[in-house]
Amino acid sequence: MNSLTFDRPNALCGGFFILSGLLFGYQSLTVDLGSWLRIGPGGLPLALSGLLVLLGAIILVQAARTEGEPAGRIAWRGMLFILLSPLIFGLTVRGLGFIGSVFVTSLFASFASYRMKLWMAFALAVALTIFSTAVFSYGLGLPFERIGPWLRW
């Protein structure tokens, strides 16, 4: 008879998703859920926490069915660049405006990969800036400054 073995990293990930989903679901019950026709401030977090629990259960079941690959070395460079990117966006959005902040942040984040070339990082930053401005500023009409005071002459 085969003993049940778990792929440890995936089992931990699935358990974390389930625990997080249950915690956020519990917290969303403390505010008004609303009705099916008019969702309240707790309705969307409750639905998203349910999806998080479902995703965690799927990952946990998959962890019991297959044996994972051994983990390699930790990608410290990638974690540093990606985790600092929202901080850079938050610190520069008032001064540079949305366009400048998205450009600087995406340029910074693109160097999380060792394989990123300078010209490719610039192209990615320009494309992401154009796309984000088109979607959030023109498409959704969000009220924010496109060009901040640091870039005005």
Side-chain angles (χ1 to χ4, degrees), residues 83-95:
L83 291 175
L84 287 179
S85 293
L87 182 65
I88 289 172
F89 181 82
L91 291 174
T92 60
V93 72
R94 286 185 188 241

Side-chain angles (χ1 to χ4, degrees), residues 22-85:
L22 291 174
L23 176 69
F24 288 122
Y26 175 74
Q27 288 178 344
S28 70
L29 294 175
T30 62
V31 293
D32 182 30
L33 295 176
S35 66
W36 285 106
L37 297 176
R38 190 160 181 88
I39 192 166
L44 185 63
L46 182 63
L48 291 177
S49 67
L51 288 175
L52 196 59
V53 169
L54 178 66
L55 180 63
I58 291 170
I59 292 172
L60 198 58
V61 167
Q62 190 66 24
R65 298 175 79 198
T66 60
E67 188 175 329
E69 299 175 13
R73 64 183 186 96
I74 296 175
W76 292 109
R77 176 186 169 131
M79 287 194 317
L80 176 75
F81 278 86
I82 297 301
L83 291 175
L84 287 179
S85 293

Side-chain angles (χ1 to χ4, degrees), residues 80-121:
L80 176 75
F81 278 86
I82 297 301
L83 291 175
L84 287 179
S85 293
L87 182 65
I88 289 172
F89 181 82
L91 291 174
T92 60
V93 72
R94 286 185 188 241
L96 294 175
F98 183 75
I99 293 173
S101 187
V102 168
F103 180 80
V104 167
T105 302
S106 57
L107 186 65
F108 179 81
S110 66
F111 289 107
S113 170
Y114 287 107
R115 295 181 287 178
M116 182 62 72
K117 305 283 188 247
L118 186 61
W119 68 270
M120 197 170 179

